[in-house]
Amino acid sequence: MIELNPLAIFFAAIFTNNMIFSYFLGMCSFIAVSNEIPTSFGLGQAVTFVLTFTTILNYFIYHNILVPLNLEYLRFIVFIISIAAFVQLLEMIVERYFPNLYYALGIFLPLITVNCAILGVSLFMVIRQYTFLQSVGFAVGSGLGWTLAIVAMAGARKRIRNNKLLKGLEGPGITLIITGLMALAFVGFSGIVQIQ
């Protein structure tokens, strides 16, 4: 197996293996919160932060506890518990120190716990047998890629907000169409670097 450079994994996670555009992970908050650019950017920062630190946490839990005890089959439950605990801690910090962002994100901040992109990154890390640096590069890149996707969607939705659309395309309909078009545009980056 060829060992990929963590920097290559980082850029691939942003562009060619974007969680939204390649795997369609994290779509619920992507569609619901991508109405305003500042809110989208705030959620993207929170997702990037959670992705990075829960991947690091899950890496150490997996390699230092689950593997030595032959409990790898518990990774789904353990990863979900560690993600939920970390997001609870983050929610308390954001509520205390950034109340405007906390109220802007509303219910979607605690829903980061069930954002499948967060669990997906931890599982990809295990499945692809990434080293620690590769895992960190993949986590940060995936978070930045997710942020790029949601901010781009917020910008697109802002541009079309005042335009007249067919009744059936308003709301989630046009959002999904734009997401598909963005995913096709990101396929153009696939010749740069791919990770599997």
Side-chain angles (χ1 to χ4, degrees):
M1 185 169 112
I2 298 171
E3 187 166 325
L4 288 171
N5 183 331
L7 196 58
I9 292 173
F10 169 78
F11 284 111
I14 295 173
F15 298 108
T16 61
N17 290 77
N18 188 294
M19 283 292 148
I20 292 287
F21 300 136
S22 294
Y23 303 110
F24 294 99
L25 294 176
M27 290 295 290
C28 55
S29 52
F30 172 77
I31 291 172
V33 181
S34 62
N35 289 319
E36 299 293 330
I37 293 174
T39 307
S40 298
F41 186 67
L43 182 62
Q45 288 178 317
V47 166
T48 302
F49 184 78
V50 170
L51 261 173
T52 302
F53 286 98
T54 58
T55 301
I56 292 169
L57 179 65
N58 287 336
Y59 181 89
F60 285 115
I61 290 171
Y62 182 77
H63 289 285
N64 296 323
I65 298 172
L66 297 180
V67 171
L69 297 175
N70 291 324
L71 298 173
E72 296 96 338
Y73 60 90
L74 292 176
R75 68 180 176 247
F76 288 95
I77 293 171
V78 172
F79 288 175
I80 290 170
I81 290 170
S82 69
I83 291 166
F86 190 83
V87 170
Q88 281 299 116
L89 178 65
L90 178 66
E91 183 181 4
M92 291 187 295
I93 291 169
V94 169
E95 182 180 21
R96 173 78 172 106
Y97 296 106
F98 306 102
N100 291 340
L101 179 61
Y102 179 78
Y103 291 113
L105 294 176
I107 190 68
F108 295 103
L109 185 59
L111 285 179
I112 290 176
T113 302
V114 294
N115 185 334
C116 49
I118 309 266
L119 179 61
V121 169
S122 291
L123 293 175
F124 284 145
M125 164 198 71
V126 170
I127 294 166
R128 295 174 180 168
Q129 301 175 351
Y130 283 160
T131 64
F132 177 72
L133 288 178
Q134 288 174 327
S135 298
V136 171
F138 184 61
V140 174
S142 295
L144 292 176
W146 198 90
T147 302
L148 174 69
I150 196 169
V151 170
M153 177 56 71
R157 288 176 83 173
K158 182 178 179 181
R159 297 278 300 182
I160 64 168
R161 188 171 295 134
N162 297 326
N163 294 333
K164 191 171 184 175
L165 295 173
L166 297 173
K167 194 73 169 162
L169 290 179
E170 293 175 354
I174 194 67
T175 303
L176 291 173
I177 291 171
I178 294 170
T179 302
L181 293 172
M182 286 180 174
L184 286 172
F186 271 65
V187 168
F189 294 119
S190 63
I192 298 171
V193 65
Q194 277 285 340
I195 54 175
Q196 297 300 331

